[in-house]
Amino acid sequence: MKVQANDIQMNYELTGKKDASVVMLSHALGSSLSMWDPQMEILESRYRVLRYDTRGHGGADAPANAYTMELLGDDAVRLMDALEIAKVHWVGLSMGGMVGQSIALNHSDRLLSLALCDTTAVVPREAQTLWQERIEAARSRGMQTLVEGALDRWFTSGYRSGNHLELELIRRVFLATPVDGFVGCSEAIRRLAYLDRLSEITTPTLIVVGADDPGTPVAASEAMHERIPDSILVVLPSAAHLSNIEQAGAFNTTLMDFLREHGSTVA
């Protein structure tokens, strides 16, 4: 489905139980709402589920300019407004977790709970060169030059050698991501600096990370856990960055347990 929100055309799916509270899913850089396929069946059995394509990805518009994390957070809130949804349980992975932090810090009244998965709260100065190299590579040579490196970070070697259908689907979505969207969101990510503000978050928070995540490692999740009051940290064994896919069963159990503890299914 398409809707105009925050001056762009956004793409979303709203499914599940009509009278239940809403779980909103936000995906990783270079992905799309399809990244959440392994979570849909179990979430739809108890909740209304809103998943969407972030600005610059999937079926959303991809303006050719640098984005900010605050802009991406505003996009999500304006989408909620357009759909007349007051509050959500937010589940964000990687970039989606960064967007979730923006909402928790700037629009906390719109959240019932917050799940930050395989993400971080700050991109250090020493990582700026790496992000600039990715941006320049995408602009000059296209997404195909970045896809294998992304998959190496996103999945363990054991999972990659297993010839999983999900791996090929993620590859196709990455390659289909507009360069302008990838660059715009990369500019937002490289400027991420929420770590010192995390103590302001009062929303019930779950932090999930794959034990083998090289991009947003366990230490990054521990740093968030130390600063967000009463947060819960769960480390999933044998998972890299896209832990919701590689260890879908353990991820789903962890998420559903948290949602049951921190909110009714009734809207």
Side-chain angles (χ1 to χ4, degrees):
M1 300 282 289
K2 296 290 185 74
V3 67
Q4 192 78 11
N6 214 24
D7 297 325
I8 63 168
Q9 191 85 344
M10 298 189 71
N11 183 54
Y12 72 94
E13 292 183 3
L14 186 58
T15 57
K17 300 183 70 174
K18 290 187 177 180
D19 295 328
S21 57
V22 177
V23 175
M24 190 168 181
L25 305 174
S26 184
H27 61 75
L29 177 69
S31 189
S32 75
L33 59 78
S34 64
M35 188 195 85
W36 296 107
D37 285 351
Q39 283 66 58
M40 294 307 292
E41 182 177 1
I42 192 166
L43 285 173
E44 288 173 333
S45 69
R46 293 180 61 86
Y47 298 94
R48 202 174 182 202
V49 184
L50 172 60
R51 55 177 176 168
Y52 74 103
D53 289 328
T54 301
R55 176 184 293 253
H57 291 69
D61 287 347
N65 57 282
Y67 313 156
T68 67
M69 206 54 67
E70 288 71 29
L71 175 64
L72 300 182
D74 288 346
D75 285 348
V77 171
R78 298 288 82 82
L79 174 59
M80 293 167 59
D81 290 344
L83 300 177
E84 298 182 345
I85 296 171
K87 295 176 179 283
V88 299
H89 296 282
W90 182 273
V91 183
L93 190 145
S94 192
M95 178 175 69
M98 301 171 192
V99 178
Q101 293 170 65
S102 176
I103 296 171
L105 291 168
N106 299 302
H107 306 279
S108 62
D109 59 316
R110 308 304 295 269
L111 297 180
L112 296 167
S113 69
L114 177 66
L116 305 176
C117 312
D118 293 279
T119 192
T120 186
V122 64
V123 173
R125 180 177 302 176
E126 56 268 25
Q128 295 303 314
T129 299
L130 174 61
W131 280 102
Q132 186 61 35
E133 289 172 351
R134 291 176 183 171
I135 289 169
E136 292 175 357
R139 282 176 170 155
S140 62
R141 300 190 297 278
M143 297 299 289
Q144 64 271 15
T145 194
L146 297 170
V147 64
E148 294 306 325
L151 294 177
D152 285 346
R153 295 188 301 274
W154 289 358
F155 300 102
T156 63
S157 58
Y159 188 86
R160 293 198 309 274
S161 66
N163 197 30
H164 295 275
L165 174 62
E166 292 86 354
L167 189 66
E168 184 56 32
L169 293 175
I170 289 294
R171 182 195 303 272
R172 292 177 190 172
V173 171
F174 188 92
L175 290 172
T177 301
V179 169
D180 284 339
F182 178 86
V183 169
C185 285
S186 293
E187 293 286 6
I189 291 171
R190 70 186 298 184
R191 290 167 174 78
L192 181 72
Y194 288 145
L195 189 63
D196 292 339
R197 292 188 59 197
L198 294 187
S199 61
E200 300 172 25
I201 295 177
T202 57
T203 305
T205 302
L206 168 69
I207 301 168
V208 179
V209 62
D212 304 310
D213 187 341
T216 54
V218 172
S221 286
E222 290 174 338
M224 293 189 295
H225 175 50
E226 290 170 1
R227 289 163 174 80
I228 301 176
D230 301 318
S231 60
I232 300 166
L233 173 62
V234 176
V235 180
L236 299 180
S238 303
H241 194 53
L242 296 194
S243 63
N244 73 303
I245 296 175
E246 186 162 2
Q247 292 295 338
F251 184 97
N252 291 351
T253 296
T254 299
L255 178 60
M256 294 301 287
D257 287 348
F258 172 75
L259 291 173
R260 275 192 288 266
E261 183 177 351
H262 290 281
S264 168
T265 60
V266 178

